[in-house]
Amino acid sequence: MRLARLDNAGAVRGASKKGASGEDGGSDSARVPAAPITWHKVQEAEREALCGEFTAWVIRVADMYELTNEQLPHACWWEPGAVVAELTALWTGWESAYGNEEDAAAGPYLWHDAWSRGIERIGRMWLGECTNGYHQQKSRTVWGTDPAYRKKITEAGPPGVGVGPQRE
């Protein structure tokens, strides 16, 4: 039943479903709570309100679970894309666990299990580079922006067939 509601309402927030209209007279951009969010697909008109909801939720759970800077970087949690993706998944999971009367009673328990694993992953994603109160960019190479790098890989041939210690 819940899946039917998600399907009928244009399931993914930010990805409009042609012909979907809100039963409450809303526009095509009406979203169902707990629907997955793909931030780069969220329409400008919806972004500010959705970001406000998301931010309020992150602040509320950070205080409720007494998160430390080692668990979630207070100064910049909204900047690392992987952290935002993990928190977004936790948020929509929370909406599903606590906002759906039709779900099994195990929903909140399962959400807490996901929360525990998610917060652990977040701590590894940003590697504590922002614990001193300001955002510090990771020292890393961005893989997808260098055409020469992509060309080098494709010209090398299929992965795993090159010469190496295992091939000799």
Side-chain angles (χ1 to χ4, degrees), residues 37-101:
I37 296 170
T38 306
W39 285 107
H40 69 276
K41 292 182 179 179
V42 173
Q43 302 296 317
E44 271 310 306
E46 184 182 18
R47 185 179 313 273
E48 187 174 339
L50 196 56
C51 285
E53 289 177 45
F54 174 60
T55 299
W57 180 84
V58 170
I59 291 169
R60 186 172 59 250
V61 296
D63 286 343
M64 181 187 322
Y65 293 96
E66 300 177 356
L67 297 183
T68 65
N69 273 328
E70 287 73 27
Q71 293 170 302
L72 185 67
H74 180 268
C76 62
W77 64 265
W78 59 93
E79 292 187 18
V83 173
V84 171
E86 187 76 45
L87 288 170
T88 301
L90 289 167
W91 176 41
T92 58
W94 182 88
E95 286 181 325
S96 178
Y98 287 96
N100 183 3
E101 297 91 27

Coordinates of all heavy atoms in Angstrom, one line a residue, residues 37-101:
I37 N 15.3 11.1 -1.8 CA 15.6 12.4 -2.3 C 16.9 12.3 -3.1 O 17.9 11.8 -2.7 CB 15.8 13.4 -1.2 CG1 14.5 13.6 -0.4 CG2 16.3 14.8 -1.7 CD1 14.6 14.3 0.8
T38 N 16.8 12.8 -4.3 CA 18.0 13.0 -5.2 C 18.3 14.5 -5.3 O 17.6 15.2 -6.1 CB 17.8 12.3 -6.6 OG1 17.3 11.0 -6.3 CG2 19.0 12.4 -7.4
W39 N 19.2 15.0 -4.5 CA 19.3 16.5 -4.4 C 19.5 17.2 -5.7 O 19.0 18.3 -5.9 CB 20.4 16.8 -3.4 CG 20.0 16.6 -2.0 CD1 20.4 15.6 -1.1 CD2 19.1 17.3 -1.2 NE1 19.8 15.6 0.1 CE2 19.0 16.7 0.1 CE3 18.3 18.4 -1.4 CZ2 18.2 17.2 1.1 CZ3 17.5 18.9 -0.4 CH2 17.4 18.3 0.8
H40 N 20.3 16.6 -6.6 CA 20.6 17.3 -7.8 C 19.4 17.3 -8.7 O 19.3 18.1 -9.7 CB 21.8 16.7 -8.6 CG 21.6 15.4 -9.1 ND1 21.8 14.2 -8.3 CD2 21.3 14.9 -10.3 CE1 21.5 13.2 -9.1 NE2 21.2 13.6 -10.3
K41 N 18.3 16.6 -8.4 CA 17.1 16.6 -9.2 C 16.0 17.4 -8.6 O 14.9 17.6 -9.2 CB 16.6 15.2 -9.4 CG 17.5 14.3 -10.3 CD 16.9 12.9 -10.5 CE 17.8 12.1 -11.4 NZ 17.2 10.7 -11.5
V42 N 16.2 17.9 -7.4 CA 15.2 18.7 -6.7 C 15.0 20.0 -7.4 O 16.0 20.7 -7.7 CB 15.6 18.9 -5.2 CG1 14.6 19.9 -4.5 CG2 15.7 17.6 -4.5
Q43 N 13.8 20.3 -7.7 CA 13.4 21.6 -8.4 C 13.7 22.8 -7.5 O 13.6 22.7 -6.3 CB 11.9 21.6 -8.8 CG 11.5 20.4 -9.7 CD 12.2 20.4 -11.0 OE1 12.3 21.5 -11.7 NE2 12.7 19.3 -11.5
E44 N 14.2 23.9 -8.2 CA 14.5 25.1 -7.4 C 13.4 25.5 -6.5 O 13.6 25.9 -5.4 CB 14.9 26.2 -8.4 CG 16.3 26.4 -8.8 CD 17.3 26.3 -7.6 OE1 17.2 27.1 -6.6 OE2 18.2 25.5 -7.7
A45 N 12.2 25.5 -7.0 CA 11.0 25.9 -6.2 C 10.8 25.1 -4.9 O 10.3 25.6 -4.0 CB 9.7 25.8 -7.1
E46 N 11.3 23.9 -4.9 CA 11.1 23.0 -3.8 C 12.3 23.0 -2.9 O 12.3 22.6 -1.7 CB 10.8 21.6 -4.3 CG 10.5 20.6 -3.3 CD 10.3 19.2 -3.8 OE1 10.7 18.9 -5.0 OE2 9.7 18.4 -3.1
R47 N 13.5 23.3 -3.4 CA 14.8 23.2 -2.7 C 14.8 23.8 -1.4 O 15.2 23.3 -0.4 CB 15.9 23.6 -3.6 CG 17.3 23.4 -3.0 CD 18.4 23.8 -4.0 NE 18.2 23.4 -5.3 CZ 18.6 22.3 -5.8 NH1 19.3 21.4 -5.1 NH2 18.4 22.0 -7.1
E48 N 14.4 25.1 -1.3 CA 14.6 25.8 0.0 C 13.8 25.2 1.1 O 14.3 25.0 2.2 CB 14.2 27.3 -0.2 CG 14.5 28.2 1.0 CD 14.2 29.6 0.7 OE1 14.1 30.1 -0.4 OE2 14.0 30.3 1.7
A49 N 12.5 24.9 0.8 CA 11.7 24.2 1.9 C 12.3 22.9 2.3 O 12.3 22.5 3.5 CB 10.3 24.1 1.4
L50 N 12.7 22.1 1.3 CA 13.2 20.8 1.6 C 14.5 20.8 2.3 O 14.7 20.1 3.3 CB 13.4 20.0 0.2 CG 13.5 18.5 0.3 CD1 12.4 17.8 1.0 CD2 13.7 17.9 -1.1
C51 N 15.4 21.8 2.0 CA 16.6 21.9 2.7 C 16.4 22.4 4.1 O 17.0 22.0 5.0 CB 17.5 23.0 2.0 SG 18.3 22.3 0.5
G52 N 15.3 23.2 4.3 CA 15.0 23.7 5.7 C 14.5 22.5 6.5 O 14.9 22.4 7.7
E53 N 13.7 21.6 6.0 CA 13.2 20.4 6.7 C 14.4 19.5 7.1 O 14.5 19.0 8.2 CB 12.2 19.6 5.9 CG 10.9 20.3 5.6 CD 10.0 19.4 4.7 OE1 10.0 18.1 4.9 OE2 9.4 19.9 3.8
F54 N 15.2 19.3 6.1 CA 16.4 18.4 6.2 C 17.3 19.0 7.3 O 17.8 18.3 8.2 CB 17.1 18.3 4.9 CG 18.4 17.5 5.0 CD1 18.5 16.2 5.4 CD2 19.6 18.1 4.5 CE1 19.7 15.5 5.4 CE2 20.8 17.4 4.6 CZ 20.8 16.1 5.0
T55 N 17.7 20.3 7.2 CA 18.5 20.9 8.2 C 18.0 20.8 9.6 O 18.7 20.5 10.6 CB 18.8 22.4 7.8 OG1 19.4 22.4 6.5 CG2 19.7 23.1 8.8
A56 N 16.7 21.1 9.8 CA 16.0 21.1 11.1 C 16.1 19.6 11.6 O 16.4 19.4 12.8 CB 14.6 21.5 11.0
W57 N 15.9 18.6 10.8 CA 16.0 17.2 11.2 C 17.4 16.9 11.7 O 17.6 16.3 12.7 CB 15.6 16.3 10.1 CG 15.6 14.9 10.5 CD1 14.7 14.2 11.2 CD2 16.7 14.0 10.3 NE1 15.1 12.9 11.5 CE2 16.4 12.7 10.9 CE3 17.9 14.1 9.7 CZ2 17.2 11.6 10.9 CZ3 18.8 13.0 9.6 CH2 18.4 11.8 10.2
V58 N 18.4 17.3 10.9 CA 19.8 17.0 11.2 C 20.2 17.6 12.6 O 20.8 17.0 13.5 CB 20.8 17.5 10.1 CG1 22.3 17.4 10.6 CG2 20.6 16.7 8.9
I59 N 19.8 18.9 12.8 CA 20.1 19.6 14.0 C 19.4 18.9 15.2 O 20.0 18.7 16.3 CB 19.8 21.1 13.9 CG1 20.7 21.7 13.0 CG2 19.8 21.7 15.3 CD1 20.3 23.1 12.6
R60 N 18.2 18.5 15.0 CA 17.4 17.9 16.1 C 18.0 16.5 16.5 O 18.2 16.3 17.6 CB 15.9 17.7 15.6 CG 15.0 17.1 16.7 CD 13.6 17.1 16.3 NE 13.3 16.4 15.1 CZ 12.9 16.9 13.9 NH1 12.8 18.2 13.8 NH2 12.7 16.1 12.9
V61 N 18.4 15.7 15.5 CA 18.9 14.4 15.8 C 20.3 14.5 16.4 O 20.8 13.7 17.2 CB 18.8 13.3 14.7 CG1 17.4 13.0 14.4 CG2 19.6 13.7 13.5
A62 N 21.1 15.5 15.9 CA 22.5 15.7 16.4 C 22.4 16.0 17.9 O 23.2 15.5 18.7 CB 23.2 16.8 15.6
D63 N 21.4 16.9 18.3 CA 21.3 17.2 19.7 C 20.7 16.0 20.5 O 21.1 15.7 21.6 CB 20.4 18.4 19.9 CG 21.1 19.7 19.5 OD1 22.3 19.7 19.4 OD2 20.4 20.7 19.3
M64 N 19.7 15.3 19.9 CA 19.0 14.2 20.6 C 20.0 13.1 20.9 O 20.0 12.5 22.0 CB 17.9 13.7 19.7 CG 17.1 12.5 20.4 SD 15.9 11.7 19.3 CE 15.2 13.1 18.4
Y65 N 20.9 12.8 19.9 CA 21.8 11.7 20.1 C 23.2 12.2 20.6 O 24.2 11.4 20.6 CB 22.0 10.9 18.8 CG 20.7 10.2 18.5 CD1 19.7 10.7 17.7 CD2 20.4 9.0 19.2 CE1 18.5 10.1 17.4 CE2 19.2 8.3 18.9 CZ 18.3 8.9 18.0 OH 17.1 8.2 17.8
E66 N 23.3 13.5 20.9 CA 24.5 14.1 21.5 C 25.7 13.8 20.7 O 26.8 13.3 21.1 CB 24.7 13.6 22.9 CG 23.5 14.0 23.8 CD 23.6 13.5 25.3 OE1 24.6 12.8 25.6 OE2 22.7 13.9 26.0
L67 N 25.6 14.0 19.4 CA 26.7 13.8 18.5 C 27.9 14.7 18.7 O 27.7 15.9 19.1 CB 26.3 13.9 17.0 CG 25.2 13.0 16.5 CD1 25.0 13.2 15.0 CD2 25.6 11.5 16.7
T68 N 29.1 14.2 18.6 CA 30.3 14.9 18.8 C 30.8 15.4 17.4 O 30.4 14.8 16.3 CB 31.4 14.1 19.4 OG1 31.8 13.0 18.6 CG2 30.9 13.5 20.8
N69 N 31.8 16.3 17.4 CA 32.4 16.7 16.1 C 33.1 15.5 15.4 O 33.3 15.5 14.2 CB 33.4 17.8 16.3 CG 32.7 19.2 16.3 OD1 31.8 19.4 15.6 ND2 33.2 20.1 17.1
E70 N 33.6 14.5 16.2 CA 34.2 13.4 15.6 C 33.2 12.5 14.8 O 33.5 11.8 13.9 CB 34.9 12.5 16.7 CG 36.2 13.2 17.2 CD 35.9 14.3 18.2 OE1 34.8 14.4 18.8 OE2 36.8 15.2 18.2
Q71 N 31.9 12.6 15.3 CA 30.9 11.8 14.6 C 30.3 12.6 13.4 O 29.9 12.0 12.4 CB 29.8 11.4 15.6 CG 30.2 10.5 16.6 CD 29.2 10.3 17.7 OE1 28.8 11.3 18.4 NE2 28.8 9.1 17.9
L72 N 30.1 13.9 13.6 CA 29.5 14.7 12.5 C 30.1 16.1 12.7 O 30.0 16.7 13.7 CB 28.0 14.8 12.7 CG 27.2 15.6 11.7 CD1 27.2 14.8 10.3 CD2 25.7 15.8 12.1
P73 N 30.7 16.6 11.6 CA 31.4 17.9 11.7 C 30.5 19.0 11.8 O 29.8 19.4 10.8 CB 32.2 17.9 10.4 CG 31.5 17.0 9.4 CD 30.9 16.0 10.3
H74 N 30.4 19.6 13.0 CA 29.5 20.7 13.3 C 29.6 21.9 12.3 O 28.7 22.5 11.9 CB 29.6 21.1 14.8 CG 28.7 22.3 15.2 ND1 29.1 23.6 15.1 CD2 27.5 22.3 15.6 CE1 28.1 24.3 15.5 NE2 27.1 23.6 15.8
A75 N 30.9 22.2 12.0 CA 31.2 23.4 11.3 C 30.9 23.3 9.8 O 30.8 24.3 9.1 CB 32.7 23.8 11.4
C76 N 30.7 22.0 9.3 CA 30.5 21.9 7.8 C 29.8 20.6 7.4 O 30.1 20.2 6.2 CB 31.9 22.0 7.2 SG 33.0 20.7 7.7
W77 N 29.0 20.0 8.2 CA 28.4 18.8 7.8 C 27.7 18.8 6.5 O 27.5 17.8 5.8 CB 27.4 18.3 8.9 CG 26.2 19.1 9.1 CD1 26.1 20.1 10.1 CD2 25.0 19.2 8.4 NE1 24.9 20.7 10.0 CE2 24.2 20.2 9.0 CE3 24.5 18.5 7.3 CZ2 22.9 20.5 8.5 CZ3 23.2 18.8 6.8 CH2 22.5 19.8 7.4
W78 N 27.2 20.0 6.0 CA 26.4 20.2 4.8 C 27.3 20.2 3.6 O 26.8 20.3 2.5 CB 25.5 21.4 4.9 CG 26.3 22.6 5.1 CD1 26.8 23.5 4.2 CD2 26.8 23.2 6.4 NE1 27.6 24.5 4.7 CE2 27.5 24.3 6.1 CE3 26.6 22.8 7.7 CZ2 28.1 25.1 7.1 CZ3 27.2 23.5 8.7 CH2 27.9 24.7 8.4
E79 N 28.6 20.3 3.7 CA 29.5 20.4 2.6 C 30.0 19.1 1.9 O 30.0 19.0 0.7 CB 30.7 21.3 3.0 CG 30.3 22.7 3.2 CD 31.4 23.7 3.5 OE1 32.6 23.3 3.1 OE2 31.2 24.8 4.0
P80 N 30.4 18.1 2.7 CA 30.9 16.9 2.0 C 29.7 16.1 1.4 O 28.7 15.8 2.2 CB 31.5 16.1 3.2 CG 31.8 17.1 4.3 CD 30.7 18.1 4.1
G81 N 29.7 15.9 0.2 CA 28.6 15.2 -0.5 C 28.2 13.9 0.0 O 27.1 13.5 0.2
A82 N 29.2 13.1 0.4 CA 29.0 11.8 1.0 C 28.3 11.9 2.3 O 27.4 11.0 2.6 CB 30.3 11.0 1.1
V83 N 28.6 12.8 3.1 CA 27.9 13.0 4.4 C 26.5 13.4 4.2 O 25.6 12.9 4.8 CB 28.7 14.1 5.3 CG1 27.9 14.4 6.5 CG2 30.1 13.6 5.6
V84 N 26.3 14.4 3.3 CA 24.9 14.8 3.0 C 24.1 13.6 2.4 O 22.9 13.4 2.8 CB 24.9 16.0 2.0 CG1 23.5 16.3 1.4 CG2 25.5 17.2 2.6
A85 N 24.7 12.8 1.6 CA 23.9 11.6 1.1 C 23.6 10.6 2.2 O 22.4 10.1 2.2 CB 24.8 10.9 0.0
E86 N 24.5 10.4 3.1 CA 24.2 9.5 4.2 C 23.1 10.1 5.1 O 22.2 9.3 5.5 CB 25.5 9.2 5.0 CG 25.4 8.2 6.1 CD 25.4 6.8 5.5 OE1 26.2 6.4 4.7 OE2 24.5 6.0 6.0
L87 N 23.2 11.3 5.4 CA 22.2 12.0 6.3 C 20.9 12.0 5.6 O 19.8 11.8 6.3 CB 22.7 13.4 6.7 CG 23.8 13.4 7.7 CD1 24.3 14.9 7.8 CD2 23.4 12.9 9.1
T88 N 20.9 12.2 4.3 CA 19.6 12.2 3.6 C 18.9 10.9 3.6 O 17.7 10.8 3.9 CB 19.8 12.7 2.1 OG1 20.4 14.0 2.1 CG2 18.5 12.7 1.3
A89 N 19.7 9.8 3.4 CA 19.2 8.5 3.5 C 18.6 8.2 4.9 O 17.6 7.6 5.1 CB 20.2 7.4 3.1
L90 N 19.4 8.6 5.9 CA 18.9 8.4 7.3 C 17.6 9.2 7.6 O 16.7 8.8 8.3 CB 20.0 8.8 8.3 CG 21.2 7.9 8.4 CD1 22.3 8.5 9.1 CD2 20.8 6.6 9.0
W91 N 17.5 10.4 7.0 CA 16.3 11.3 7.2 C 15.1 10.6 6.6 O 14.1 10.5 7.2 CB 16.6 12.7 6.6 CG 15.4 13.6 6.6 CD1 14.5 13.7 7.7 CD2 15.0 14.5 5.6 NE1 13.6 14.7 7.3 CE2 13.9 15.2 6.1 CE3 15.5 14.8 4.4 CZ2 13.2 16.1 5.3 CZ3 14.9 15.7 3.6 CH2 13.7 16.4 4.1
T92 N 15.2 10.2 5.3 CA 14.1 9.6 4.7 C 13.7 8.3 5.3 O 12.6 7.9 5.4 CB 14.3 9.4 3.2 OG1 15.5 8.6 2.9 CG2 14.4 10.8 2.5
G93 N 14.7 7.5 5.8 CA 14.5 6.3 6.6 C 13.7 6.6 7.9 O 12.8 5.9 8.3
W94 N 14.1 7.7 8.5 CA 13.4 8.1 9.8 C 12.0 8.5 9.5 O 11.1 8.1 10.2 CB 14.2 9.3 10.4 CG 13.6 9.7 11.7 CD1 13.9 9.3 12.9 CD2 12.6 10.8 11.8 NE1 13.1 10.0 13.8 CE2 12.3 10.9 13.2 CE3 11.9 11.6 11.0 CZ2 11.4 11.8 13.7 CZ3 11.0 12.5 11.5 CH2 10.7 12.6 12.8
E95 N 11.8 9.2 8.4 CA 10.4 9.6 8.0 C 9.6 8.3 7.8 O 8.4 8.2 8.1 CB 10.4 10.4 6.7 CG 10.8 11.8 6.9 CD 10.8 12.6 5.6 OE1 11.0 12.0 4.5 OE2 10.5 13.8 5.7
S96 N 10.1 7.3 7.1 CA 9.4 6.1 6.9 C 9.2 5.3 8.2 O 8.1 4.8 8.4 CB 10.3 5.2 5.9 OG 9.6 4.0 5.7
A97 N 10.2 5.2 9.0 CA 10.0 4.5 10.3 C 9.0 5.1 11.2 O 8.3 4.4 11.9 CB 11.4 4.3 11.0
Y98 N 9.0 6.4 11.3 CA 8.2 7.1 12.3 C 6.9 7.7 11.7 O 6.0 8.2 12.5 CB 9.0 8.1 13.1 CG 10.0 7.5 14.0 CD1 11.3 7.3 13.6 CD2 9.6 7.1 15.3 CE1 12.2 6.7 14.5 CE2 10.5 6.5 16.1 CZ 11.8 6.3 15.8 OH 12.7 5.7 16.6
G99 N 6.8 7.8 10.4 CA 5.7 8.5 9.9 C 4.7 7.6 9.1 O 3.8 8.1 8.4
N100 N 4.8 6.3 9.3 CA 4.0 5.4 8.5 C 3.3 4.4 9.4 O 3.9 3.5 9.9 CB 4.9 4.6 7.5 CG 4.1 3.7 6.6 OD1 2.9 3.6 6.7 ND2 4.9 3.0 5.8
E101 N 2.0 4.6 9.7 CA 1.3 3.8 10.6 C 1.1 2.3 10.0 O 0.8 1.4 10.7 CB -0.1 4.3 10.9 CG -0.1 5.6 11.6 CD -0.1 6.8 10.6 OE1 -0.6 6.7 9.5 OE2 0.4 7.9 11.0

